[in-house]
Amino acid sequence: NTIVQSMGTSKEKVVESILKRNEDSELYKKKIKSILRKVAPLIAKSVISEAKITPVGNVKIYSIHDEQLDDDYHISVGEKSVEIDKSLIYVAVFTKGEGISVIVFAGDNANKLIKAGTIAKEISVQLGGSGGGSERFGQGGGSIKYKEKINDALLSVEELVVRHSKE
């Protein structure tokens, strides 16, 4: 009865109501992704202006520990950011349930120096997990038990870039 009341429906229509809510949820997800694609270029400009220039060539790093936004957001913004600025490395770490997610993009100039997948792997290991990927995109994860190490892991990205420039 509590479920029926909270859904504002009758017992006979519970299944129908659940199906409708799932359908609505999927529609909202699609709309959010569409909005993200439209605003990602604007957000990317802000990301690029906030990126830190490394002592290695022209490579810049933008890193964020985000507690509010998810992988859809960071994939849209990261992808657009490195498309606009080919010297940028975009790193996002965020909690997701009992885990930590890592998303990394490296622009075409930056990934000649270090692959996004390498960065994702290194950060994920520091967070008690694993990761990998390609030159342009990397992802990984870790355990929520290592949450207090997120900021140190993000700070290590510049050191990682510098180390790889010497190899």
Side-chain angles (χ1 to χ4, degrees):
N1 274 344
T2 307
I3 294 171
V4 172
Q5 288 174 341
S6 70
M7 293 183 71
T9 190
S10 66
K11 283 183 181 181
E12 296 79 27
K13 293 190 175 189
V14 169
V15 172
E16 186 180 317
S17 291
I18 289 172
L19 292 174
K20 176 70 173 128
R21 286 184 184 210
N22 285 343
E23 189 179 296
D24 289 348
S25 176
E26 289 303 313
L27 179 64
Y28 291 132
K29 284 180 186 176
K30 285 180 182 178
K31 285 182 179 182
I32 288 170
K33 283 185 179 185
S34 176
I35 292 167
L36 262 175
R37 281 191 297 276
K38 290 178 181 173
V39 299
L42 299 172
I43 299 168
K45 288 178 183 175
S46 174
V47 162
I48 292 163
S49 71
E50 293 176 29
K52 180 181 181 196
I53 298 172
T54 68
V56 180
N58 224 6
V59 176
K60 294 177 251 177
I61 298 170
Y62 175 84
S63 62
I64 185 167
H65 172 195
D66 194 338
E67 292 289 335
Q68 297 175 336
L69 299 167
D70 64 4
D71 46 350
D72 287 337
Y73 172 86
H74 289 293
I75 288 171
S76 292
V77 172
E79 192 168 35
K80 185 52 77 174
S81 296
V82 301
E83 182 182 303
I84 294 170
D85 187 337
K86 298 183 182 342
S87 297
L88 181 70
I89 295 172
Y90 179 97
V91 182
V93 177
F94 50 96
T95 55
K96 195 173 185 180
E98 288 300 308
I100 299 171
S101 293
V102 177
I103 299 284
V104 180
F105 281 92
D108 290 342
N109 295 338
N111 70 32
K112 289 175 185 164
L113 185 64
I114 186 167
K115 296 177 183 175
T118 302
I119 296 169
K121 180 180 180 180
E122 293 276 341
I123 292 173
S124 296
V125 166
Q126 292 178 54
L127 301 174
S130 64
S134 66
E135 291 177 350
R136 186 173 171 81
F137 176 67
Q139 61 184 340
S143 169
I144 200 75
K145 294 187 295 188
Y146 293 86
K147 187 176 178 181
E148 72 281 351
K149 295 187 176 194
I150 291 174
N151 288 334
D152 288 341
L154 288 172
L155 289 171
S156 75
V157 174
E158 183 176 340
E159 178 186 312
L160 184 61
V161 170
V162 170
R163 192 169 13 127
H164 272 264
S165 72
K166 295 177 181 173
E167 290 179 359

